[in-house]
Amino acid sequence: MALYQFLCGSTMMIILLSRGCHSQQPVCGKAVLNTRIVGGEDAPPGSWPWQASLQNDGSHFCGGSLINDQWVLTAAHCVPFINLGTVVYLGLQSLPGLNLNAVSRHLSVVTSHPSYGLATNVNRFDNDLCLLKLSAPVSFTHYIQPICLAAENSTFNTGVESWITGFGITDNGTVANILQEVMVPIVGNNQCRCTYSDLTGNMMCAGVPAGGKDSCQADSGGPMVTKQGSTWIQSGVVSYGKGCGLPDIPGVYTRVSLYQEWISSVIAGSNQPGFVEYTSAGVDSDQFFECPTTAPPPPTTPDGGSVFDSGESMIHFFRFPSLCLLVISLYVLGGA
């Protein structure tokens, strides 16, 4: 499929007409309707206006985040389930029923990170990132806004409060009908490697020691965000984990700040996403963390209060809903 770029002419013209070449999108990371944050429950309409839902035949299978008026960031492991009929929804508050503030777009370009899936001696989930170009730009409203992306020098220390959102599996074992939100702190990579020995620097972790708050299947590709002042910044993309919401088992996210150059090169032109540097205060305690010499007891399912399903077996898995995987696989194999 042919791609077209608008070039502003000679260097002299770029200098003289620089105002016309700049992106006209509003400031990123603004959620006007986000008046309160509560982890582990239904998100009020418009609280997370960058949230995207990837769907096949009306079935949600992955999340994503709007980063400008025509591009969505998601996980590369969602790509095998994208087909010509895949639709991206923005401004969606619930999966069933009428969503007056929602818009939908098909896809014109799907670009996974070139190093995803190529590693032979490191974590096979490394570079789990993908950019989706929508078939047409979207107009921004209170319910549809782009998220800022963490710039390359950003630091997210242990304990930084972060929020994950999605339509993934909840504690009743089904895909959420209403967009869910939950707050989780960052877990430093040194500590996270006690659980995931093959964790790479391209990844980051988040979770609570008691468990019960986590991303889960069908949250794949969705955003993990942190607020700096009045601006929301995306630090991670939901990637994988061992189970969901298990004690001392954090979820793993692709570290967005390490991909600024790649994202900018793929999108190209003047309509670049907003990159904002996030700087954590103080010294990161994770640099002094050492894994316990004795193995902790096997984790158990938390008692009640779980936001996301925690009954999965202790294996690495992408965060898809198993039922949706079956439906999509049958759809693809059947050539429908």
Side-chain angles (χ1 to χ4, degrees), residues 54-56 59-62 80-83 320-334:
L54 279 57
Q55 299 186 15
N56 284 331
S59 296
H60 169 89
F61 66 91
C62 267
F81 303 94
I82 293 175
N83 56 51
F320 281 116
S322 56
L323 176 60
C324 186
L325 265 177
L326 176 60
V327 171
I328 296 170
S329 297
L330 291 175
Y331 177 87
V332 174
L333 293 175

Side-chain angles (χ1 to χ4, degrees), residues 268-282:
S270 62
N271 192 22
Q272 287 291 318
F275 289 94
V276 176
E277 184 173 323
Y278 183 91
T279 304
S280 297

Side-chain angles (χ1 to χ4, degrees), residues 303-317:
D303 296 327
S306 176
V307 177
F308 298 97
D309 180 28
S310 56
E312 291 291 327
S313 60
M314 288 295 293
I315 57 173
H316 287 71
F317 66 94

Side-chain angles (χ1 to χ4, degrees), residues 175-305:
V175 174
N177 285 329
I178 297 176
L179 181 65
Q180 298 293 294
E181 60 181 19
V182 64
M183 183 179 72
V184 290
I186 296 296
V187 175
N189 278 23
N190 286 336
Q191 181 177 349
C192 197
R193 287 191 181 96
C194 301
T195 301
Y196 305 98
S197 59
D198 56 353
L199 191 80
T200 76
N202 296 325
M203 304 169 182
M204 60 192 306
C205 302
V208 294
K213 294 186 177 183
D214 196 4
S215 55
C216 200
Q217 293 120 311
D219 289 320
S220 283
M224 177 168 69
V225 301
T226 297
K227 197 173 188 181
Q228 181 169 255
S230 62
T231 301
W232 290 96
I233 302 170
Q234 182 171 356
S235 59
V237 173
V238 177
S239 185
Y240 74 99
K242 293 182 176 181
C244 299
L246 296 172
D248 296 315
I249 306 292
V252 183
Y253 302 79
T254 303
R255 189 180 293 268
V256 172
S257 62
L258 297 184
Y259 297 91
Q260 179 174 350
E261 183 178 352
W262 176 74
I263 292 171
S264 297
S265 67
V266 171
I267 293 178
S270 62
N271 192 22
Q272 287 291 318
F275 289 94
V276 176
E277 184 173 323
Y278 183 91
T279 304
S280 297
V283 177
D284 189 359
S285 62
D286 185 64
Q287 63 181 301
F288 308 110
F289 190 90
E290 295 183 3
C291 296
T293 55
T294 58
T300 57
T301 301
D303 296 327

Side-chain angles (χ1 to χ4, degrees), residues 5 7 13 34 37 42 75 91 140 220 255 297 333:
Q5 290 183 329
L7 301 180
M13 289 298 292
N34 193 332
I37 297 299
D42 296 349
F140 297 131
S220 283
R255 189 180 293 268
L333 293 175

